[in-house]
Amino acid sequence: MVDYEIEKEAAARASLAFVKDGDVVGLGTGSTAAYFIKFLGEKVKAGFKVRGVPTSARAQQLAQQCGIPLVGLDEVAQIDVDVDGADEFDPQLCLIKGGGGALLREKIVASASKKFVVVADSSKQVAALGKFPLPVEVIPFAEALVARQISALGAKVALRKTEQGSPFTTDEHHHILDCSFEKINHPASLAATLSAIPGVVEHGLFINMATLVLVAKGSKVTELRAL
Ligand code: 5RP
């Protein structure tokens, strides 16, 4: 059985090589990014100077616990490097993100970053995106309407719920529709179609954004660049 925790940890550790002393660093969300935040915190305790821009309330809390100084997007002109996980990545390094519900802030931080380093275990590498249900962040007022429009594109659409059964609410107070397409043949055209639906705030397709992916297989980490 593959130990994905070892892989997440290895990929996160390898990403430290892309962070320089003095950098402003995007801090991703999810279990792989959490390893990165912990490792970065250890370096900060040893004297490394960085300032972090968290991509979620969870990442912010963890970074504070790890002693990483934080800044807001309004306080920096640009982010030097953003390190974040992914739910899937394809050979072009297009991603599905948002499994942890933070896709909106994650996309904003990635788009403001000079380098976007994705850290992933081997289960995230796919030939084509779409097995993982694509998260789409929506304004609650419009969610039924948006769900019907995305269903008409061929997806099975489910409103994300908490364990208690109420709608999952994002940091920006929106809801998430998890959209199972099974196979997304043209990620860029689906991304444009989704962005054009009124009520869609953001979707979890990250196209031409990743600078590189660090994918771990066992404890071996491979650096992938887009084909
Ligand atoms: C959160 C994300 C995560 O990066 C993605 O879900 C991967 O998470 P994990 O590292 O826990 O597998 O997009 O919104």
Side-chain angles (χ1 to χ4, degrees):
M1 219 180 75
V2 183
D3 187 338
Y4 292 120
E5 288 309 307
I6 286 184
E7 296 188 344
K8 287 171 194 224
E9 208 176 328
R13 199 176 282 288
S15 71
L16 290 173
F18 295 86
V19 183
K20 295 191 306 300
D21 199 47
D23 274 356
V24 176
V25 186
L27 305 172
T29 298
S31 54
T32 320
Y35 280 116
F36 167 71
I37 294 172
K38 286 180 198 152
F39 296 147
L40 188 64
E42 286 166 13
K43 288 192 73 166
V44 166
K45 284 198 183 103
F48 199 59
K49 298 248 175 312
V50 291
R51 291 175 296 157
V53 180
T55 55
S56 64
R58 260 176 302 149
Q60 177 171 342
Q61 201 184 20
L62 179 61
Q64 281 164 339
Q65 284 164 7
C66 295
I68 301 172
L70 300 178
V71 276
L73 265 186
D74 51 335
E75 297 168 82
V76 290
Q78 208 177 23
I79 297 166
D80 294 293
V81 56
D82 175 33
V83 179
D84 204 344
D87 299 299
E88 283 184 348
F89 67 90
D90 73 7
Q92 283 71 42
L93 307 192
C94 293
L95 317 174
I96 286 184
K97 282 188 55 54
L103 66 108
L104 176 57
R105 290 192 188 180
E106 288 175 329
K107 197 176 269 190
I108 292 168
V109 170
S111 73
S113 300
K114 283 190 234 165
K115 261 184 283 167
F116 176 30
V117 176
V118 176
V119 283
D121 62 75
S122 58
S123 72
K124 311 294 176 56
Q125 185 165 24
V126 296
L129 300 177
K131 258 250 162 316
F132 189 92
L134 176 67
V136 178
E137 185 156 346
V138 295
I139 288 174
F141 173 74
E143 79 196 16
L145 185 68
V146 173
R148 281 199 295 277
Q149 287 179 264
I150 299 178
S151 298
L153 299 173
K156 278 205 192 85
V157 180
L159 176 66
R160 191 177 297 185
K161 300 248 174 88
T162 64
E163 275 174 17
Q164 292 71 39
S166 48
F168 172 89
T169 305
T170 68
D171 285 340
E172 301 294 337
H173 312 293
H174 303 129
H175 289 172
I176 289 191
L177 298 173
D178 287 310
C179 306
S180 296
F181 284 92
E182 285 302 323
K183 188 170 176 214
I184 298 172
N185 291 316
H186 303 289
S189 85
L190 179 61
T193 303
L194 292 172
S195 294
I197 299 175
V200 168
V201 180
E202 196 47 88
H203 55 76
L205 285 167
F206 285 46
I207 316 274
N208 295 332
M209 294 185 79
T211 312
L212 58 100
V213 172
L214 296 171
V215 59
K217 215 174 172 70
S219 55
K220 183 178 181 297
V221 179
T222 306
E223 182 181 319
L224 300 175
R225 307 245 168 193
L227 291 179

